[in-house]
Amino acid sequence: MFSDRFDQLVQALRILPSVGPKSAQRMALHLIMKNREGAIGLAHALTEATNYIHECSICHSLTEDEVCNICLSTERDEQLLCVVESPADVMAIEQSGSFRGKYHVLGGHLSPLDGIGPDEIGIPHLVHRLSDGKVQEVILATNATVEGQATAHYLVEATKHLPVQMTRIAQGVPQGGELEYVDSHTLSQAVHNRMRMK
Amino acid sequence: MFSDRFDQLVQALRILPSVGPKSAQRMALHLIMKNREGAIGLAHALTEATNYIHECSICHSLTEDEVCNICLSTERDEQLLCVVESPADVMAIEQSGSFRGKYHVLGGHLSPLDGIGPDEIGIPHLVHRLSDGKVQEVILATNATVEGQATAHYLVEATKHLPVQMTRIAQGVPQGGELEYVDSHTLSQAVHNRMRMK
Ligand SMILES: [Zn+2]
Ligand SMILES: [Zn+2]
């Protein structure tokens, strides 16, 4: 519309989730007309975040360091490990305040049709992590979708030879729902009512 | 949550219109986990836009040059001038495809309680622009709000001494509505049915 760089900004804003062409235009105009300082701050925050945030080498959640704060913490229960699909799920569970153990992020779920098998979501790595005997209970908090359930069941099988207890978060989470969108209370209940799987 | 830079990115995204804390978190995670290239592109687009986009020296809309494309165009009718409150309104009218003249952006509306009088929205400058006699008709396309109507009426008074015709876009625009959110068809009708004010 006004100039090439304006159109480029509108296009660039379209990468944000649930931002259509009209909202992107409105956002671009708002930034240029009413908050240039904020726009410069946002550019800086995006650059910093993409440069410095990466996977934790232990749990595969997000961190700016070699190892994340949760993995480093001595105040969290090392005997409890919560397995989730993504860092978004770590965030959701942390915000529910229902869990004081450690995490393991798979980075996805089993999906054979898409070529995503156990190796692609690091299940051998997780089994290895469990084999030193420190973890007493694994809470399987993969999504309550078909793939999430299948991934949980696969993990129960894959750890049969280990003396670790495997539990699944309770079905307080609505069927077919994705963890990151569930409200904190429901999530808190689900962690509390987890049921033994093995 | 995950790190300082993650939290800073979430905060920075909050400056976008109608983005609350939950959407900002979701956007930050989406960018970091699924579209870092897009995030870098967005940072670049923001920097470029804030560095290069400024007011047109003639119409006060947005441009990267001294004078905008619409002011420069020889294909647009110089005898028709559309007066709007903001560049967002220029965009809305252009997208309705209903106008082929030139624009003048006031940069606001009269609002005595906020200390915004004729000088603050450049009315003397507009009157001066009209005084060379080139413009035959001014279409007053300020918002259909109380302030927008008052501004339109003020402009009719302020140009009484000039032989220019003043029209107001028709009340196809819903009462109390802000121009930038009106659909193109309604806007197009409103421009077409404009009524003579002087
Ligand atoms: Zn970690
Ligand atoms: Zn211009």
Side-chain angles (χ1 to χ4, degrees), chain B residues 36 109 170:
Chain B
R36 282 181 186 233
H109 47 240

Side-chain angles (χ1 to χ4, degrees), chain A residues 118-193:
Chain A
D119 287 348
E120 281 68 32
I121 57 172
I123 289 184
H125 172 70
L126 171 57
V127 173
H128 182 259
R129 188 176 174 187
L130 296 174
S131 62
D132 66 4
K134 264 192 199 153
V135 174
Q136 302 294 305
E137 180 185 349
V138 170
I139 302 180
L140 298 165
T142 48
N143 285 331
T145 55
V146 174
E147 296 88 352
Q149 299 279 27
T151 306
H153 284 290
Y154 185 91
L155 281 167
V156 173
E157 289 302 309
T159 53
K160 249 187 180 159
H161 61 292
L162 296 171
V164 63
Q165 191 173 111
M166 307 290 279
T167 56
R168 179 86 173 107
I169 52 165
Q171 291 290 347
V173 179
Q175 283 291 340
E178 297 196 331
L179 228 78
E180 96 180 82
Y181 300 103
V182 173
D183 69 273
S184 291
H185 181 74
T186 307
L187 256 178
S188 185
Q189 286 294 319
V191 171
H192 186 256
N193 296 330

Side-chain angles (χ1 to χ4, degrees), chain A residues 2-3 5 15 25-26 29-31 33 36 38 43 48 50 52-53 61-62 64 87-88 91 95 181, chain B residues 2-3 5 15 25-26 29-31 33 36 38 43 47-48 50 52-53 61-62 64 87-88 91 95 181:
Chain A
F2 301 108
S3 74
R5 285 184 179 91
I15 65 154
Q25 276 187 350
R26 209 165 291 151
L29 269 171
H30 175 84
L31 293 170
M33 294 301 293
R36 282 181 186 234
E48 289 284 303
T50 50
Y52 289 99
I53 300 175
S61 181
L62 295 171
E64 292 179 21
M91 191 161 77
Q95 287 173 349
Y181 300 103
Chain B
F2 301 108
S3 75
R5 286 186 178 90
I15 63 157
Q25 276 188 350
R26 208 163 293 153
L29 268 172
H30 175 83
L31 293 171
M33 294 300 295
R36 282 181 186 233
T47 306
E48 289 283 303
T50 50
Y52 290 99
I53 299 175
S61 181
L62 296 171
E64 293 178 24
M91 191 161 76
Q95 287 172 352
Y181 300 104

Side-chain angles (χ1 to χ4, degrees), chain A residues 1-6 8-9 12-13 15-19 22-23 25-27 29-36 38-54 61-64 68-70 86-88 90-91 94-95 180-182 184, chain B residues 1-6 8-9 12-13 15-19 22 25-27 29-36 38-55 61-64 68-70 86-88 90-91 94-95 180-182 184:
Chain A
M1 168 65 211
F2 301 108
S3 74
D4 289 346
R5 285 184 179 91
F6 184 84
Q8 282 151 15
L9 177 56
L13 286 162
I15 65 154
L16 296 172
S18 55
V19 172
K22 279 274 168 191
S23 325
Q25 276 187 350
R26 209 165 291 151
M27 285 176 171
L29 269 171
H30 175 84
L31 293 170
I32 294 300
M33 294 301 293
K34 296 189 182 149
N35 199 349
R36 282 181 186 234
I40 292 163
L42 177 54
H44 180 73
L46 286 162
T47 306
E48 289 284 303
T50 50
N51 280 342
Y52 289 99
I53 300 175
H54 52 246
S61 181
L62 295 171
T63 181
E64 292 179 21
C68 78
N69 289 336
I70 294 177
S86 77
V90 172
M91 191 161 77
E94 284 299 292
Q95 287 173 349
E180 96 180 82
Y181 300 103
V182 173
S184 291
Chain B
M1 168 65 210
F2 301 108
S3 75
D4 289 348
R5 286 186 178 90
F6 185 84
Q8 283 152 13
L9 177 55
L13 287 162
I15 63 157
L16 297 171
S18 56
V19 171
K22 280 272 168 191
Q25 276 188 350
R26 208 163 293 153
M27 284 175 171
L29 268 172
H30 175 83
L31 293 171
I32 294 300
M33 294 300 295
K34 296 189 181 149
N35 199 349
R36 282 181 186 233
I40 292 164
L42 177 54
H44 180 73
L46 286 161
T47 306
E48 289 283 303
T50 50
N51 280 341
Y52 290 99
I53 299 175
H54 51 245
E55 270 188 20
S61 181
L62 296 171
T63 180
E64 293 178 24
C68 78
N69 288 336
I70 294 176
S86 76
V90 173
M91 191 161 76
E94 284 298 293
Q95 287 172 352
E180 97 182 81
Y181 300 104
V182 173
S184 290

Side-chain angles (χ1 to χ4, degrees), chain A residues 56-61 63 67-72 103 129:
Chain A
C56 169
S57 66
I58 296 177
C59 73
H60 305 289
S61 181
T63 181
V67 174
C68 78
N69 289 336
I70 294 177
C71 285
L72 276 180
Y103 288 96
R129 188 176 174 187

Side-chain angles (χ1 to χ4, degrees), chain B residues 55-63 66-72 103 129:
Chain B
E55 270 188 20
C56 169
S57 65
I58 297 177
C59 73
H60 306 289
S61 181
L62 296 171
T63 180
E66 173 67 17
V67 174
C68 78
N69 288 336
I70 294 176
C71 285
L72 277 180
Y103 288 95
R129 189 177 172 185

